Amino acid sequence: MGDQRPRHYSGQRHHIADTGNHQWAFFRFAATGDCTGVFDPAGERAGPTPIRIYAPSDPNYSSSQLSVRVAALPYGGRVTLADGVTPIRIHETLTVGQLMSLKFVPSARATTASTFAYTVTNPAARSTPGSVLIAAEVVPASPPPPTCSAAGMESAPIVRNDSGRKISLLVPRSSIIPSDVAVLINDGDRQSIVAGQYFQLRHTIPDANMIHVSLPITPTKGANYAISAEEFSHIKAQVDAQLGTNIQAYVITWTQPYMVFGEHAGAVGITSAFTYGYDRAAARSPRYFNSATYQPYTDFHIRPAMMLAGYTPQDIVSLIDRGALAQHILPMGDGYFIRTTDARRSDPRYADFRAVVGEWNHQNGLKMAFVDNSAGTGRDKIQNTPRVLFYETGLEQVPAINTNQYVPGALADHLTSFGGDLLAGSQMSILDWIRAGATASYGTVTEPTANRSNSPKRRSW
């Protein structure tokens, strides 16, 4: 009989990227009136816009014999039948024809991305899921007013004002800005394409800064999810040849490969390799540590790198949204620093934990708590906790992280040996923090030495 699950074929549309049974749809609409005016990808005005979902197919049944059940609806707008009026409801059953003719009507007044999910079932009761990640970009109804700029300055929005208009101030620069950032996209990885496009959308990255490469996304023999040092050297040279001297940092949009492996320096995280090169001695350089510079390439000839990594495209889209919400503000929340019963992962930095709490936990600072559970008389975790801004601990697996509420911009880590070995599964991955709602985390791809000098310093955050 073979596999009787329905299948999707890829009837590729120019603005939808196929990701197996999952798609990516991009809309632009005007932020005027009721925000229902939609722009098609060519920039022309249109009404409610077709999502253009691919037709599911099954080798043993006709499309008329397949049923579709709605599993999740996107926010920031509504999904309708082909008439552009009749709303689709959760758990509603559709025909294949109705699925393919669905339309999206935006209602949000801010750029959003979320998922329309569904399940296709055949008469043999075999099912397969499908989804469309819908990104709706708000564009001004009229050209924005001109903005001022000056060397060493940046525009900072006034988040709370009663004018009803967006107001910005020109202030001395305090960070890397979008024009300084190169976004690296793996054209062989559809999740990377989604991440890169959405990051550019939310942060207004110039087109010239979007750098395309081609990388394998399957494990290399002898290392998990790695590329060889020789392959990396070729890719980095290809990337750097496209960069101007204004580029100060990299954003890597793929989740794998996340490791560079070779005989000279062993396993090195790909962010470290892009920042310092594949060189163990260079990676120990203290030149950039704790520096206040916002021009690391200009000052130190170093381009720091970060990854937009996640288990799914939706995880990464949500991560980007949280980062955008935290931009240009000082996020308010609480910090938790836990010395656990796992001495190897807690003892190297518990003194640093206590020092940070002592410095910041005061009336005009942040609410910080140091929890010493090294004797095992309490708990190694926080649970059902709101407003988490920092969560620093030391465990191979951290329980109950999904029960907490993390504010946009929150940082969390568990100082395990393989937290940066993102997909290997031997210990908890830092991707679990991202899925739980953290905006930033970090971890090593291979076993480090458990001593204090190797531990990230709390004061640097």
Side-chain angles (χ1 to χ4, degrees):
M1 295 291 291
D3 186 354
Q4 294 186 326
R5 290 176 297 176
R7 292 181 171 84
H8 287 27
Y9 68 82
S10 69
Q12 182 81 6
R13 302 286 182 174
H14 68 280
H15 71 301
I16 296 180
D18 177 21
T19 54
N21 290 349
H22 308 277
Q23 298 170 233
W24 161 260
F26 177 72
F27 303 97
R28 303 176 69 236
F29 64 94
T32 60
D34 60 1
C35 292
T36 58
V38 180
F39 288 81
D40 67 17
E44 299 173 356
R45 186 69 179 237
T49 302
I51 302 174
R52 296 190 176 100
I53 297 175
Y54 303 158
S57 63
D58 189 291
N60 301 308
Y61 300 98
S62 67
S63 61
S64 64
Q65 294 176 285
L66 305 178
S67 64
V68 180
R69 183 176 171 85
V70 178
L73 294 172
Y75 54 84
R78 67 183 187 275
V79 177
T80 73
L81 292 177
D83 60 10
V85 176
T86 306
I88 298 300
R89 305 189 186 282
I90 193 75
H91 304 317
E92 184 173 348
T93 299
L94 307 173
T95 65
V96 168
Q98 288 174 320
L99 176 72
M100 295 174 61
S101 63
L102 293 178
K103 293 183 178 180
F104 179 71
V105 183
S107 61
R109 298 177 184 271
T111 298
T112 62
S114 55
T115 299
F116 172 74
Y118 56 92
T119 301
V120 183
T121 304
N122 65 20
R126 300 295 299 275
S127 299
T128 190
S131 67
V132 182
L133 187 62
I134 298 176
E137 178 190 10
V138 176
V139 295
S142 58
T147 57
C148 298
S149 62
M153 306 291 281
E154 65 178 321
S155 177
I158 306 302
V159 179
R160 295 180 180 89
N161 73 84
D162 57 6
S163 70
R165 297 180 295 115
K166 290 184 177 180
I167 301 177
S168 298
L169 291 177
L170 203 60
V171 298
R173 281 186 56 177
S174 60
S175 65
I176 291 172
I177 60 177
S179 60
D180 296 337
V181 174
V183 179
L184 311 187
I185 297 176
N186 181 8
D187 286 336
D189 180 353
R190 292 186 176 99
Q191 180 165 296
S192 173
I193 295 170
V194 168
Q197 289 179 339
Y198 193 60
F199 187 81
Q200 181 184 27
L201 177 68
R202 289 308 306 266
H203 292 282
T204 321
I205 305 295
D207 288 342
N209 295 18
M210 308 299 289
I211 308 301
H212 294 261
V213 298
S214 181
L215 285 166
I217 60 170
T218 54
T220 297
K221 184 177 181 180
N224 290 319
Y225 307 98
I227 58 172
S228 69
E230 291 75 19
E231 288 176 301
F232 173 77
S233 178
H234 173 74
I235 291 295
K236 189 171 188 300
Q238 177 185 337
V239 168
D240 289 349
Q242 301 178 63
L243 304 183
T245 55
N246 63 301
I247 298 300
Q248 304 294 327
Y250 305 104
V251 172
I252 298 170
T253 64
W254 58 82
T255 299
Q256 56 168 306
Y258 51 82
M259 185 189 305
V260 179
F261 192 81
E263 294 182 1
H264 174 60
V268 173
I270 200 163
T271 50
S272 294
F274 265 105
T275 301
Y276 297 107
Y278 181 72
D279 187 307
R280 186 179 294 266
R284 289 200 297 263
S285 169
R287 288 180 294 162
Y288 184 51
F289 174 73
N290 219 20
S291 169
T293 183
Y294 53 80
Q295 295 182 310
Y297 183 75
T298 302
D299 294 342
F300 303 115
H301 210 68
I302 290 171
R303 291 186 174 111
M306 75 172 191
M307 293 184 76
L308 295 174
Y311 290 122
T312 67
Q314 184 63 62
D315 286 350
I316 299 173
V317 164
S318 298
L319 167 66
I320 294 169
D321 283 339
R322 293 193 296 270
L325 286 172
Q327 193 173 22
H328 295 301
I329 65 172
L330 294 175
M332 297 304 294
D334 305 327
Y336 297 88
F337 300 84
I338 302 179
R339 184 185 184 188
T340 70
T341 51
D342 188 334
R344 286 191 300 173
R345 291 171 179 82
S346 287
D347 286 3
R349 59 180 184 169
Y350 85 89
D352 197 28
F353 281 179
R354 298 188 68 169
V356 168
V357 172
E359 291 175 12
W360 285 92
N361 188 38
H362 54 83
Q363 186 175 358
N364 296 319
L366 297 170
K367 179 183 175 182
M368 298 284 198
F370 172 68
V371 180
D372 190 344
N373 189 44
S374 56
T377 56
R379 296 190 304 176
D380 278 345
K381 65 179 183 296
I382 59 172
Q383 187 171 0
N384 297 317
T385 304
R387 288 172 39 88
V388 177
L389 180 59
F390 297 103
Y391 185 3
E392 309 290 319
T393 184
L395 288 172
E396 286 189 25
Q397 304 284 340
V398 185
I401 62 173
N402 293 312
T403 69
N404 302 314
Q405 182 263 322
Y406 303 86
V407 300
L411 169 74
D413 87 275
H414 54 301
L415 199 68
T416 188
S417 300
F418 299 102
D421 199 355
L422 301 179
L423 302 173
S426 60
Q427 296 176 357
M428 178 175 145
S429 169
I430 58 176
L431 297 186
D432 293 334
W433 288 115
I434 300 304
R435 172 163 284 184
T439 308
S441 190
Y442 50 87
T444 53
V445 300
T446 189
E447 180 71 58
T449 302
N451 59 56
R452 187 176 179 183
S453 64
N454 280 352
S455 302
K457 302 299 184 291
R458 305 305 94 211
R459 293 178 180 84
S460 299
W461 297 111

PDB file of all heavy atoms in Angstrom, residues 90 196 251 255 265 271 295 339 400:
ATOM      1  N   ILE A  90     -11.133  28.515  13.846  1.00  0.00           N
ATOM      2  CA  ILE A  90     -10.297  27.408  14.321  1.00  0.00           C
ATOM      3  C   ILE A  90     -11.108  26.119  14.321  1.00  0.00           C
ATOM      4  O   ILE A  90     -12.296  26.117  14.635  1.00  0.00           O
ATOM      5  CB  ILE A  90      -9.741  27.731  15.735  1.00  0.00           C
ATOM      6  CG1 ILE A  90      -8.624  26.771  16.114  1.00  0.00           C
ATOM      7  CG2 ILE A  90     -10.840  27.737  16.773  1.00  0.00           C
ATOM      8  CD1 ILE A  90      -7.353  27.041  15.433  1.00  0.00           C
ATOM      9  N   GLY A 196      16.365  35.436   7.363  1.00  0.00           N
ATOM     10  CA  GLY A 196      17.048  36.599   6.820  1.00  0.00           C
ATOM     11  C   GLY A 196      16.083  37.652   6.309  1.00  0.00           C
ATOM     12  O   GLY A 196      16.255  38.853   6.566  1.00  0.00           O
ATOM     13  N   VAL A 251      25.246  38.826  11.192  1.00  0.00           N
ATOM     14  CA  VAL A 251      24.091  38.078  11.697  1.00  0.00           C
ATOM     15  C   VAL A 251      23.966  36.826  10.842  1.00  0.00           C
ATOM     16  O   VAL A 251      23.769  36.920   9.628  1.00  0.00           O
ATOM     17  CB  VAL A 251      22.795  38.909  11.628  1.00  0.00           C
ATOM     18  CG1 VAL A 251      21.582  38.041  11.978  1.00  0.00           C
ATOM     19  CG2 VAL A 251      22.871  40.101  12.573  1.00  0.00           C
ATOM     20  N   THR A 255      20.562  27.725  11.273  1.00  0.00           N
ATOM     21  CA  THR A 255      20.741  26.995  12.532  1.00  0.00           C
ATOM     22  C   THR A 255      21.826  25.936  12.400  1.00  0.00           C
ATOM     23  O   THR A 255      22.545  25.642  13.355  1.00  0.00           O
ATOM     24  CB  THR A 255      19.405  26.354  12.967  1.00  0.00           C
ATOM     25  OG1 THR A 255      18.445  27.396  13.170  1.00  0.00           O
ATOM     26  CG2 THR A 255      19.556  25.556  14.258  1.00  0.00           C
ATOM     27  N   ALA A 265      42.446  23.208  15.273  1.00  0.00           N
ATOM     28  CA  ALA A 265      41.860  23.745  16.505  1.00  0.00           C
ATOM     29  C   ALA A 265      40.690  22.927  17.011  1.00  0.00           C
ATOM     30  O   ALA A 265      40.039  23.319  17.975  1.00  0.00           O
ATOM     31  CB  ALA A 265      41.408  25.192  16.273  1.00  0.00           C
ATOM     32  N   THR A 271      30.014  30.994  15.100  1.00  0.00           N
ATOM     33  CA  THR A 271      30.041  32.427  15.413  1.00  0.00           C
ATOM     34  C   THR A 271      31.446  32.861  15.811  1.00  0.00           C
ATOM     35  O   THR A 271      31.919  33.928  15.399  1.00  0.00           O
ATOM     36  CB  THR A 271      29.047  32.763  16.536  1.00  0.00           C
ATOM     37  OG1 THR A 271      29.251  31.870  17.639  1.00  0.00           O
ATOM     38  CG2 THR A 271      27.612  32.644  16.051  1.00  0.00           C
ATOM     39  N   GLN A 295      32.145  50.131  17.077  1.00  0.00           N
ATOM     40  CA  GLN A 295      32.790  49.896  15.790  1.00  0.00           C
ATOM     41  C   GLN A 295      33.920  48.882  15.954  1.00  0.00           C
ATOM     42  O   GLN A 295      35.098  49.199  15.803  1.00  0.00           O
ATOM     43  CB  GLN A 295      33.337  51.211  15.222  1.00  0.00           C
ATOM     44  CG  GLN A 295      32.258  52.225  14.878  1.00  0.00           C
ATOM     45  CD  GLN A 295      32.831  53.490  14.270  1.00  0.00           C
ATOM     46  OE1 GLN A 295      33.761  54.091  14.807  1.00  0.00           O
ATOM     47  NE2 GLN A 295      32.277  53.903  13.145  1.00  0.00           N
ATOM     48  N   ARG A 339      22.765  29.224  42.149  1.00  0.00           N
ATOM     49  CA  ARG A 339      23.841  28.258  42.395  1.00  0.00           C
ATOM     50  C   ARG A 339      23.161  26.936  42.691  1.00  0.00           C
ATOM     51  O   ARG A 339      22.527  26.755  43.731  1.00  0.00           O
ATOM     52  CB  ARG A 339      24.703  28.696  43.570  1.00  0.00           C
ATOM     53  CG  ARG A 339      25.903  27.791  43.810  1.00  0.00           C
ATOM     54  CD  ARG A 339      26.658  28.216  45.062  1.00  0.00           C
ATOM     55  NE  ARG A 339      27.866  27.414  45.251  1.00  0.00           N
ATOM     56  CZ  ARG A 339      28.626  27.469  46.338  1.00  0.00           C
ATOM     57  NH1 ARG A 339      28.303  28.302  47.339  1.00  0.00           N
ATOM     58  NH2 ARG A 339      29.707  26.721  46.435  1.00  0.00           N
ATOM     59  N   ALA A 400      11.152  23.243  33.717  1.00  0.00           N
ATOM     60  CA  ALA A 400      10.093  24.250  33.896  1.00  0.00           C
ATOM     61  C   ALA A 400      10.397  25.602  33.250  1.00  0.00           C
ATOM     62  O   ALA A 400       9.778  26.599  33.609  1.00  0.00           O
ATOM     63  CB  ALA A 400       9.797  24.449  35.379  1.00  0.00           C
TER      64      ALA A 400
END
